[in-house]
Amino acid sequence: MARHRVEMLDALGMIWSVSDARFEAGLDWARVWAKGHGGSLAAPARASVGGYAIGTWLSELRAAAQVPAGEPGALAPERRAALEEIDPWWCPTWPITWQRAWATARMWWLDSDGQVDWTQLPVETVYEGEQLGRWVLAQRAGWPGLEDDQRDLLTSIGIEGDPELVAAKAAAEAKPKISRTDRFQLHLAALAEFVREHGHARPARTYRSPDGLSLGAWTNNTKARRARLSTEQLAQLAALGVEWAVEGV
C-alpha cells in the first residue's frame, strides 16, 4: 500500500508533516540507541529502546535505502544524511550482523584504550552477547573475501589479516567435501582396525585412530544418533561387535 504524505495545520497555523514528525521521533531514539552502543545503529531487528521499536524502524529505513532514488518508497536524501550523521555505516552494503559485530569489537577496543592484541584474543571470548573471539578469527582468516571498506574498518581498530590463517582457510576449502555416508565408512574402517588390534569395539572417548580420526568421539556420537542409522549401517556395526547396534538388526 502506497504511503501518502499527510500534512496538518497546528495551533499556530504552521503546516507540518506527520511522516516527518514520526521520522524525527525515530531519529531521537536512534541517537539514544547509538549513544549506548558505541555510536552504532546496527541494532537487531527486534531491538527496542525506551519502549520504542528502534530495530524495526531502522530495518524499514534500510529497505527504503535500497529503493532507487526517485521511485516510490525510496529514502529521502535528507533522511539518509541525518542517519549518516549519527552512524556513517548505518546501512552498509554487507550484512548488518557483520557491522554489529564490528561495532562490538570497536567497543572492546575503546574499553581497552586501543591496547588490544587481537592475535591473542581467546577464540571463546564473548562480549556484549557477541562471539567476539570467533568473529575476529574469522575476519583475520577471511581477509581476501572482505570489501575494501570492511578491511578499512577492521584496520582502524587494529585487526589485520593473517597470511597463515588465510592459507589454512583456502586449503580447507579446497579439500573435496566428504559425504555423511563416506565419513561413516571411513570411521567404520578405523573401528574395524581397532577391533583387530584390541579385540573389542569400545574405544575410549578420547581415542584417535593412527590416521587422526576421533574414533572414540565418533563411536559415542553414532550411538546417540542410532535412530538415524540405516539397517545396513547398524548391521555393519553389529558385525564388528558393537553391542548397542545389535538390537533391531
Side-chain angles (χ1 to χ4, degrees), residues 91-220:
C91 185
T93 56
W94 46 83
I96 197 64
T97 51
W98 188 97
Q99 191 63 29
R100 185 157 56 247
W102 177 84
T104 302
R106 181 174 177 272
M107 289 174 66
W108 176 285
W109 181 75
L110 289 172
D111 287 347
S112 303
D113 295 324
Q115 304 301 311
V116 181
D117 184 351
W118 295 108
T119 65
Q120 299 301 313
L121 185 70
V123 70
E124 65 273 11
T125 301
V126 176
Y127 183 65
E128 296 293 329
E130 292 283 347
Q131 296 286 341
L132 187 59
R134 292 183 181 181
W135 184 82
V136 170
L137 183 64
Q139 307 319 303
R140 295 171 58 222
W143 197 259
L146 298 172
E147 295 187 22
D148 289 342
D149 284 338
Q150 286 177 296
R151 288 194 285 264
D152 288 344
L153 286 171
L154 290 169
T155 54
S156 72
I157 58 174
I159 300 176
E160 298 181 347
D162 185 310
E164 291 186 4
L165 290 175
V166 170
K169 182 175 184 293
E173 292 176 346
K175 291 182 179 179
K177 301 296 183 181
I178 301 177
S179 69
R180 181 174 299 178
T181 300
D182 289 342
R183 189 177 297 111
F184 179 89
Q185 292 302 323
L186 283 173
H187 285 84
L188 188 71
L191 182 60
E193 183 62 33
F194 178 89
V195 172
R196 283 193 291 271
E197 183 176 346
H198 299 275
H200 62 83
R202 301 183 302 278
R205 183 181 292 273
T206 57
Y207 178 82
R208 299 181 73 87
S209 67
D211 53 359
L213 294 176
S214 300
L215 189 60
W218 176 81
T219 304
N220 280 277

Side-chain angles (χ1 to χ4, degrees), residues 1-33:
M1 180 181 296
R3 294 184 178 180
H4 299 284
R5 181 182 178 88
V6 179
E7 294 184 338
M8 301 181 66
L9 192 67
D10 67 12
L12 298 179
M14 300 291 290
I15 293 178
W16 58 281
S17 163
V18 173
S19 176
D20 286 345
R22 288 175 177 170
F23 178 78
E24 289 300 325
L27 203 61
D28 287 340
W29 285 116
R31 294 188 182 98
V32 173
W33 175 272

